[in-house]
């Protein structure tokens, strides 16, 4: 009986009190995940703001639209809006832990497009213009969808707030389908 109690984590604060312990309201893992989500999410949102609004040294929508058109996305400005919003809203969603699987899907889809149209031909390493950066973004977004946003997130109140295989599959599947549709247009 004693071994079972040590190995089994209390499932509620009532059960914790019954065993003479108190469940922590948040752990180092919760705070670590919040740090990752905030850093990664806000940087991705800022990257999207560069495209959409010209903030943080970005070119803004018109120049970004021209760049998108030059690599085959027509109309360039429309695809620049889609790309910028994917990064901006996906980043904010991850930072807040809000609609986490959907936010991850937006970033995954954007990075698949970047790899297919810009960086894929240059190999792996970022120094050579390769996919390294895009792969890292996609994997972090997928990892957060799989782990879940943690206790310090808006999604903690919703079913998808715990992460899992389903949430990860949703993020990867939706991101992949969105990227495939975009690449065929």
């Amino acid at each position: 009986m004693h071994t079972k109690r040590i190995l089994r984590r209390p499932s509620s604060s009532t059960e914790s009190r019954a065993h003479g312990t108190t469940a922590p309201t948040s752990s180092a893992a919760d705070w670590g995940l919040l740090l990752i989500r905030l850093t990664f999410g806000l940087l991705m949102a800022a990257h999207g703001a560069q495209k959409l609004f010209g903030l943080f040294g970005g070119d803004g929508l018109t120049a970004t639209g021209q760049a998108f058109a030059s690599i085959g996305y027509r109309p360039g400005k429309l695809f620049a809006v889609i790309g910028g919003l994917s990064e901006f809203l996906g980043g904010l969603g991850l930072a807040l832990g809000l609609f986490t699987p959907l936010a991850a899907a937006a970033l995954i889809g954007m990075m698949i497009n970047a790899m297919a149209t810009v960086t894929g031909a240059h190999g792996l390493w970022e120094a050579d213009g390769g996919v390294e950066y895009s792969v890292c973004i996609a994997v972090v977004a997928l990892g957060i969808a799989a782990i879940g946003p943690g206790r310090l997130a808006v999604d903690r109140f919703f079913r998808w707030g715990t992460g899992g295989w389903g949430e990860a599959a949703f993020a990867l599947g939706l991101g992949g389908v969105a990227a495939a549709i975009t690449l065929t247009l």
Side-chain angles (χ1 to χ4, degrees):
M1 182 71 160
H2 182 67
T3 305
K4 276 175 110 176
R5 190 167 6 123
I6 291 172
L7 296 177
R8 190 172 52 89
R9 196 172 170 183
S11 60
S12 70
S13 58
T14 306
E15 187 176 337
S16 297
R17 282 190 293 266
H19 292 293
T21 62
T22 57
T25 56
S26 61
S27 67
D30 294 320
W31 286 97
L33 188 54
L34 177 64
L35 178 63
I36 291 168
R37 282 193 0 257
L38 285 175
T39 303
F40 179 74
L42 292 177
L43 285 172
M44 290 309 305
H47 196 71
Q50 288 178 316
K51 287 177 176 65
L52 294 170
F53 313 118
L55 297 175
F56 312 112
D59 292 329
L61 198 51
T62 301
T64 302
Q66 291 168 346
F68 273 54
S70 74
I71 59 172
Y73 290 101
R74 301 228 193 301
K77 197 167 189 176
L78 173 65
F79 283 100
V81 168
I82 293 168
L85 284 174
S86 294
E87 292 174 346
F88 185 71
L89 296 176
L92 287 179
L94 287 185
L96 294 170
L98 177 62
F99 302 118
T100 302
L102 188 59
L107 295 175
I108 291 167
M110 185 64 181
M111 292 305 107
I112 291 171
N113 272 278
M115 289 183 268
T117 59
V118 180
T119 60
H122 303 284
L124 177 61
W125 302 113
E126 177 67 26
D128 299 325
V131 298
E132 173 186 10
Y133 177 71
S134 299
V135 168
C136 288
I137 290 171
V139 168
V140 169
L142 181 59
I144 292 171
I147 295 167
R151 284 184 176 180
L152 305 173
V154 177
D155 278 348
R156 73 179 276 198
F157 300 107
F158 300 104
R159 183 192 63 76
W160 60 84
T162 58
W165 288 111
E167 288 76 2
F170 174 84
L172 184 58
L174 182 60
V177 167
I181 291 169
T182 302
L183 290 167
T184 59
L185 295 178

